[in-house]
């Protein structure tokens, strides 16, 4: 019988497989709600979707909500906490 190998999540590089302090700070600072004078709420939420263990980059979904106007965008955030627009490539 032929033995099959499973996927291994052990990496031979030194990058950690957790978000950096700067990335966590970026995520936390982007979650807030502002109440307007007319009682309308403006809300922004950032969610961590994935972490690339090779590059250390994280994939983030940012949702902005205000009444009927909802907007979502995807960002790639580097280990240094610098965001850039996700272009659909490997992050």
């Amino acid at each position: 019988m032929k033995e099959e190998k499973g996927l291994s999540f052990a990496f031979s590089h030194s990058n950690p497989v957790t978000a950096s302090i700067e990335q966590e700070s970026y995520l936390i600072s982007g979650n807030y709600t502002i109440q307007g004078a007319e009682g309308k709420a403006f809300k922004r939420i950032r969610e961590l979707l994935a972490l690339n263990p090779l590059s250390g980059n994280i994939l983030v979904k940012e949702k902005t909500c205000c009444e009927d106007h909802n907007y979502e965008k995807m960002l790639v955030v580097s280990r240094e906490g610098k965001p850039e627009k996700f272009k659909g490539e490997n992050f």
Side-chain angles (χ1 to χ4, degrees):
M1 182 184 270
K2 193 174 186 180
E3 185 178 322
E4 291 185 28
K5 284 190 169 184
L7 291 176
S8 173
F9 292 99
F11 300 101
S12 62
H13 56 78
S14 61
N15 284 351
V17 292
T18 59
S20 70
I21 294 170
E22 292 81 7
Q23 289 169 325
E24 288 182 29
S25 177
Y26 179 82
L27 286 170
I28 292 168
S29 68
N31 296 322
Y32 57 84
T33 302
I34 299 173
Q35 196 71 24
E38 301 86 30
K40 298 177 184 177
F42 175 84
K43 182 185 276 189
R44 184 163 75 179
I45 302 165
R46 290 182 181 155
E47 297 176 355
L48 173 63
L49 297 179
L51 182 130
N52 184 331
L54 297 177
S55 67
N57 294 340
I58 60 172
L59 183 62
V60 174
K61 181 190 284 186
E62 183 176 284
K63 299 179 191 177
T64 304
C65 309
C66 183
E67 299 242 333
D68 297 339
H69 309 288
N70 297 326
Y71 178 73
E72 290 185 0
K73 64 181 176 179
M74 304 285 278
L75 302 164
V76 175
V77 182
S78 69
R79 301 261 333 141
E80 295 79 29
K82 296 179 183 175
E84 65 179 53
K85 186 176 178 181
F86 178 62
K87 299 174 183 152
E89 302 164 3
N90 187 7
F91 66 99

